[in-house]
Amino acid sequence: MKLKNYISGQWIEGNGHEIPLYNAVNGELVAISDTSGLDFEEALHFGRTIGYKNLSSMTFYDRGEMLKKIALYLLERKKKYYELSYKTGATHIDSWVDIEGGFGTFFTYSGLAKRMLPNTPFWVDGDTQKISANGTHLGTHILTPSEGVSVQINAYNFPVWGMLEKLSTSLLAGVPAVVKPSPYSSYLTNEVFKDMIESGYLPEGAVQLVCGEPGNILDFVKDGDSVVFTGSANTGRKLKALPSISGNAVRFNMEADSLNCSILGLDAKPGTPEFDLFIKEVKNEMTTKAGQKCTAIRRIIVPENLVGDVQNALSKALDQTKIGNPLSRETKMGSIVGKEQMQILEEKVNLLKAETEIIYDGKHDLVEANYENGAFFTPKVFYNDKPFEKNISHELEAFGPVSTIMPYKDAEEAAALAKRGKGSLVGSIVSHDEKFVAETSWKMASSHGRIFVLNRDNAKESTGHGSPLPTLMHGGPGRAGGGEEMGGLNGLHFFLQKTAIQGSPDVLTAITKVYTQGAEKKFTDKHPFQKYFEEVEVGDSLETAGRTVTEADIVNFSNVSWDHFYAHTDATSLNGTIFDKTVAHGYFILSAAAGLFVSGKKGPVIANYGLENASFFKPVYAGDTITVYLTAKEKINRGVKGRNIPSGVVKWLVEVVNQREEVVCVATILTLVAKKSPFIELNRRNIQKLLNGLTENTKPNWGKMTAQQMLEHLETTLLYSIGEPEAEKCFTPEEHLEKYQDSLYNHRKMPKDFPAPFLPEDGTLPELKYKNLEQAKEKFLENLQKYQIYYRENPEAEHMHFVFGKLNKEMMELMHRKHFTHHFEQFNLI
């Protein structure tokens, strides 16, 4: 199978320099990669123009939704990815980390986008800065997608995760990418990439794939572009120095090889939980992915009096690790990715032997495999008896199941040895001594991207030394590359241009879509809390009536809150304070403000979602009158799961002033605001008006129902929902029922081609009950009223539905609203 490249929206084969890719377990040919003849200059131009235009015009929220849809699509097809992953030498656990770990990164960034990012193509970063005396000239910052394309060069060890963890941030930021996997495992990357394209969720030009050697692609990068590299530090430094990169100020991020360490605490003697955890962690990091991990433990730093104990325990653990064919359930460690990489690894091991002693070289019998055909390499442990004199352990990385034990005397030496790696992605400390952990971690932090502390308290939920997480930064200083990937939303900053914006409050509000204090307010007769999420506009405002604070208010709030702080209750204790007399509580002012601006009438506002940046500027005394200005400050779209009403978050600026128009309090409150439902209300009068447009001659947009059959079908469903008669069973399998019931709460319409499970297989419709359509209308409206009266009298009632199972009053109403809308649209009534 010759792998195709995806360039400028087309699948293209190379035409010359073919690279055969072999099964790492049995040596059989798997695929051929070839990038010869590709027009890389045109590929980058296509990404900068078509890709950038399509991606950057999407909002952060929509890009997050895109990531989720792609991840779900790939998850449904994961079986075939595992079958290819085994050919790279990866065990099932190795493959799970790579494949589903990659999907998990997409899911994580989708969630972050929908919870924390705006529904705009840009992102306001930080607070507004007052840069003039009267506040008429202000400044802030916005982040926009960097106008270019990202060339993403990945290593062979994680063909899926390596691609998806980079794409998760670049795509969410709105920057198109050209993915360049290592040739040796690119057949797996290619399969996942193909499905991403076939999903149809990516806009044209968002991603391209170069499945083989990179050729001269980096000769064509220019300002606005970025290069994201994972691989050897030596290669990374060469790329960074290319004239096209250094001369054009191309953003460059490197995540390179790393001599990561793990430190066993002085307290972690044999018999303690920490000693056992340490041995297990080191063994796992040596054998997972056959040690082909940039985060694997290469240096094992242990108290000098425990070297023998660690050597013996680790040797036993490695002896018990079955090596061989990843398809066997017995196998715990697979192979190196290929013979070429194994040869390089052997050369590195020989260099280590020249200066340090090999103390474990297990000769394992392979499970359903042989050394001749497969790229199998047994674990090896070295001992550096003088780690402050013999430097090879701190300078040379053997990229496989190879690690070196080295002794230390105290916390000072442990930290010093950790730092001799000259920059690492991760260092771990296994200890239950908090003082030792604190002292060591502070001293080694400057040379590590991440510090992982393990002990008995977090072991059960620990994610492990070698697991980069989407919400935490992945990268490290020095030889680790000096780069930063992921780290939650910080991972997007590399792909975004930060721009300072200066102007008046009105101008900043117009640009940022976030209300800036001092900008014009929009006052209307409709209370802002009576508006659905879609109807709220930034700047919508309300000026409340005034409320005069009394002595009784202050006393009563003290009694209710139990806040008897002297400034509120004891007028004799105010000498030397900032107060003239007993002062109203700050939280009373906020509570009183809420009482002034809330709408008592039920409306789209569901709940108070939070409070931010509350500040109190002047005291409020008995006799002062407060007034509130409530202004819609910002809208945040929000993904909703399960049985929750589709909604968004609205941030409101609350400004409380006294009778002298002096600002006494400013805060931001967050409310959860319902989105307007696209489904019709069960309002008898409105429905009757809609039915006036239904005639015997009205033809359906889909399906074969007549107008009368449709109406009688809706009436039958209404009657079943009040138990007349009680439905005998639900046709939906039990394992799908919860998902079906959850779907009642979202705003997705019922599918047009949904087959009613209670109808005969031949699709025959029930016979008509009424003599004509007019009688059917009359009976339908009569039973709609009957349904509504029934649930007013029986609010706790539950009845069976053929598709959705047993439903309560709320769920039954949601079902009917969707159902009515579905059929009314079928006959063009709405």
Side-chain angles (χ1 to χ4, degrees):
M1 176 183 74
K2 191 168 184 178
L3 302 178
K4 292 184 177 181
N5 307 279
Y6 190 70
I7 298 294
S8 300
Q10 297 181 338
W11 288 102
I12 303 172
E13 282 190 3
N15 58 13
H17 183 57
E18 296 183 344
I19 301 175
L21 310 176
Y22 298 103
N23 186 315
V25 179
N26 58 28
E28 295 177 354
L29 182 67
V30 177
I32 294 171
S33 76
D34 184 0
T35 60
S36 301
L38 299 183
D39 190 338
F40 292 124
E41 186 174 15
E42 172 57 28
L44 294 186
H45 177 72
F46 185 78
R48 290 188 201 105
T49 53
I50 305 299
Y52 179 81
K53 177 183 176 183
N54 290 333
L55 261 183
S56 64
S57 62
M58 296 172 66
T59 69
F60 282 99
Y61 184 90
D62 289 338
R63 294 179 209 137
E65 185 66 19
M66 174 185 72
L67 293 182
K68 177 184 175 182
K69 289 177 179 177
I70 293 170
L72 288 170
Y73 188 87
L74 297 178
L75 193 60
E76 292 174 354
R77 291 155 179 78
K78 66 179 181 180
K79 183 178 178 182
K80 62 179 178 179
Y81 309 144
Y82 276 91
E83 291 168 357
L84 284 174
S85 182
Y86 296 138
K87 295 179 181 181
T88 71
T91 65
H92 183 80
I93 293 297
D94 297 338
S95 302
W96 178 85
V97 171
D98 182 32
I99 295 167
E100 297 189 53
F103 302 163
T105 304
F106 263 36
F107 281 126
T108 297
Y109 273 99
S110 172
L112 287 172
K114 290 192 282 187
R115 288 195 312 273
M116 303 177 71
L117 292 179
N119 198 20
T120 54
F122 58 86
W123 173 11
V124 180
D125 184 42
D127 297 327
T128 300
Q129 302 298 315
K130 185 178 177 181
I131 52 179
S132 66
N134 296 319
T136 61
H137 187 57
L138 307 172
T140 190
H141 295 88
I142 63 169
L143 299 168
T144 53
S146 180
E147 196 163 347
V149 64
S150 175
V151 180
Q152 302 182 351
I153 303 170
N154 296 314
Y156 61 76
N157 52 341
F158 287 99
V160 181
W161 180 85
M163 171 176 67
L164 297 185
E165 65 101 8
K166 289 181 173 64
L167 285 178
S168 62
T169 48
S170 62
L171 291 177
L172 185 55
V175 174
V178 177
V179 178
K180 212 302 291 179
S182 165
Y184 303 106
S185 53
S186 58
Y187 50 87
L188 175 53
T189 308
N190 184 279
E191 191 64 30
V192 176
F193 189 95
K194 276 197 303 186
D195 285 340
M196 289 172 62
I197 299 300
E198 289 173 6
S199 74
Y201 295 128
L202 284 162
E204 185 181 12
V207 292
Q208 299 178 74
L209 179 68
V210 176
C211 229
E213 291 297 335
N216 63 343
I217 190 170
L218 295 183
D219 290 347
F220 304 109
V221 294
K222 56 186 183 181
D223 57 292
D225 294 336
S226 61
V227 175
V228 189
F229 171 80
T230 297
S232 76
N234 186 48
T235 302
R237 284 191 289 268
K238 289 179 181 178
L239 296 181
K240 192 174 183 179
L242 288 173
S244 57
I245 293 176
S246 59
N248 292 321
V250 171
R251 301 180 188 206
F252 190 90
N253 190 86
M254 179 165 67
E255 188 262 285
D257 46 19
S258 176
L259 287 161
N260 313 292
C261 68
S262 186
I263 300 172
L264 180 66
L266 294 166
D267 61 305
K269 297 177 173 56
T272 64
E274 283 67 36
F275 184 89
D276 295 338
L277 288 169
F278 181 78
I279 298 300
K280 181 180 179 181
E281 198 71 21
V282 172
K283 186 265 292 183
N284 286 344
E285 288 301 313
M286 288 186 66
T287 58
T288 299
K289 292 289 285 187
Q292 300 167 108
K293 291 170 61 183
C294 54
T295 54
I297 295 171
R298 306 296 181 197
R299 298 178 300 143
I300 309 166
I301 301 174
V302 302
E304 58 184 5
N305 62 317
L306 298 180
V307 168
D309 295 305
V310 169
Q311 177 185 343
N312 293 335
L314 183 57
S315 297
K316 289 179 182 177
L318 291 171
D319 279 341
Q320 294 167 5
T321 303
K322 297 285 184 71
I323 304 174
N325 191 331
L327 291 172
S328 171
R329 290 188 176 183
E330 291 183 60
T331 298
K332 300 303 177 186
M333 184 179 114
S335 69
I336 302 299
V337 78
K339 292 281 190 179
E340 185 176 329
Q341 287 68 39
M342 191 170 76
Q343 182 180 347
I344 295 171
L345 178 58
E346 287 172 342
E347 292 171 0
K348 296 288 182 71
V349 166
N350 288 332
L351 290 172
L352 286 171
K353 286 180 180 177
E355 192 170 295
T356 54
E357 176 190 359
I358 189 165
I359 56 176
Y360 178 85
D361 189 10
K363 300 297 181 184
H364 291 255
D365 293 329
L366 299 183
V367 178
E368 299 176 17
N370 62 72
Y371 286 102
E372 183 178 351
N373 295 329
F376 292 97
F377 197 89
T378 58
K380 299 183 185 346
V381 180
F382 286 83
Y383 177 57
N384 184 340
D385 60 336
K386 296 179 179 179
F388 287 101
E389 298 176 20
K390 299 177 180 179
N391 290 321
I392 196 165
S393 307
H394 309 298
E395 294 176 351
L396 185 144
E397 180 184 30
F399 202 68
V402 180
S403 196
T404 300
I405 295 175
M406 51 191 71
Y408 76 90
K409 293 179 181 177
D410 52 30
E412 187 78 27
E413 279 198 0
L417 287 175
K419 293 166 71 173
R420 286 178 76 86
K422 298 179 182 177
S424 299
L425 295 170
V426 56
S428 58
I429 306 170
V430 185
S431 171
H432 202 243
D433 182 342
E434 293 177 0
K435 184 178 179 181
F436 173 85
V437 168
E439 182 180 353
T440 308
S441 60
W442 273 106
K443 289 177 179 176
M444 63 188 277
S446 61
S447 61
H448 288 77
R450 175 166 58 92
I451 293 177
F452 168 72
V453 179
L454 178 66
N455 59 36
R456 68 194 74 177
D457 299 329
N458 67 336
K460 286 185 179 180
E461 295 185 320
S462 160
T463 50
H465 166 102
S467 299
L469 299 175
T471 51
L472 296 176
M473 192 269 286
H474 178 51
R479 69 171 292 145
E484 293 184 9
E485 293 179 345
M486 302 191 297
L489 295 182
N490 287 333
L492 275 66
H493 288 205
F494 178 79
F495 301 101
L496 297 169
Q497 174 60 43
K498 188 171 186 176
T499 304
I501 302 292
Q502 293 172 268
S504 70
D506 287 321
V507 166
L508 262 60
T509 297
I511 292 174
T512 64
K513 310 302 180 190
V514 176
Y515 180 80
T516 302
Q517 227 173 329
E520 183 183 358
K521 295 177 166 66
K522 304 172 189 174
F523 296 101
T524 61
D525 291 336
K526 190 172 185 178
H527 195 290
F529 280 19
Q530 293 301 315
K531 295 182 178 182
Y532 286 98
F533 181 76
E534 299 90 337
E535 298 172 327
V536 174
E537 294 183 8
V538 170
D540 281 352
S541 298
L542 172 73
E543 180 181 357
T544 72
R547 170 173 174 173
T548 301
V549 177
T550 66
E551 291 281 2
D553 289 331
I554 300 173
V555 172
N556 289 338
F557 193 83
S558 291
N559 292 333
V560 169
S561 65
W562 284 21
D563 179 355
H564 298 294
F565 184 63
Y566 71 88
H568 309 304
T569 58
D570 185 4
T572 65
S573 300
L574 299 178
N575 288 342
T577 72
I578 61 173
F579 304 114
D580 299 326
K581 52 185 176 179
T582 51
V583 65
H585 305 66
Y587 296 115
F588 168 75
I589 300 303
L590 274 177
S591 300
L596 289 169
F597 65 67
V598 296
S599 171
K601 182 181 176 183
K602 183 179 179 181
V605 173
I606 300 168
N608 186 341
Y609 199 65
L611 177 69
E612 295 178 343
N613 304 322
S615 298
F616 305 101
F617 298 102
K618 282 186 175 290
V620 175
Y621 301 115
D624 285 344
T625 299
I626 60 171
T627 302
V628 182
Y629 294 98
L630 178 76
T631 307
K633 180 179 178 180
E634 184 180 358
K635 293 171 63 177
I636 303 172
N637 211 340
R638 180 175 177 268
V640 176
K641 293 181 181 179
R643 298 176 191 182
N644 292 300
I645 298 170
S647 57
V649 174
V650 178
K651 293 187 175 185
W652 303 89
L653 177 66
V654 178
E655 298 169 283
V656 185
V657 300
N658 61 21
Q659 66 272 23
R660 294 177 293 278
E661 286 293 314
E662 297 170 330
V663 177
V664 299
C665 172
V666 173
T668 299
I669 65 161
L670 287 64
T671 58
L672 206 56
V673 182
K675 295 178 181 177
K676 197 167 187 177
S677 173
F679 309 116
I680 62 174
E681 296 280 350
L682 300 187
N683 182 295
R684 189 176 183 278
R685 180 172 295 179
N686 289 342
I687 288 174
Q688 185 172 5
K689 288 181 181 179
L690 293 174
L691 292 182
N692 289 336
L694 188 67
T695 71
E696 297 282 4
N697 298 322
T698 306
K699 303 297 182 186
N701 290 318
W702 67 85
K704 57 184 181 180
M705 281 183 172
T706 66
Q708 186 171 337
Q709 285 171 330
M710 179 274 290
L711 209 53
E712 290 189 11
H713 164 64
L714 290 181
E715 181 202 20
T716 300
T717 309
L718 275 172
L719 291 172
Y720 270 110
S721 66
I722 60 175
E724 294 184 7
E726 189 73 46
E728 294 180 3
K729 72 168 189 173
C730 172
F731 288 84
T732 301
E734 182 69 29
E735 62 269 24
H736 299 310
L737 201 54
E738 183 177 0
K739 182 175 73 173
Y740 271 49
Q741 291 180 350
D742 288 351
S743 73
L744 294 174
Y745 287 81
N746 63 44
H747 284 172
R748 289 191 290 273
K749 294 181 178 180
M750 289 182 169
K752 295 177 181 179
D753 57 353
F754 183 77
F758 45 81
L759 291 178
E761 290 185 7
D762 61 5
T764 304
L765 295 167
E767 291 184 7
L768 294 174
K769 295 191 292 183
Y770 305 115
K771 62 182 181 180
N772 56 39
L773 178 60
E774 289 307 311
Q775 186 181 14
K777 288 182 183 180
E778 184 181 334
K779 289 292 185 181
F780 169 75
L781 291 168
E782 181 183 310
N783 283 307
L784 174 59
Q785 186 175 26
K786 183 177 181 180
Y787 158 84
Q788 291 173 323
I789 292 171
Y790 174 84
Y791 276 103
R792 287 190 203 115
E793 295 176 343
N794 304 278
E796 304 299 322
E798 293 184 345
H799 291 286
M800 182 67 71
H801 185 272
F802 291 114
V803 175
F804 297 100
K806 188 161 283 190
L807 303 180
N808 59 25
K809 175 186 175 181
E810 177 185 69
M811 298 167 79
M812 202 68 82
E813 179 174 345
L814 292 171
M815 185 278 299
H816 284 307
R817 290 185 65 184
K818 278 198 175 192
H819 196 206
F820 282 23
T821 301
H822 174 78
H823 286 296
F824 283 11
E825 287 184 342
Q826 181 186 16
F827 282 85
N828 281 320
L829 299 180
I830 51 177

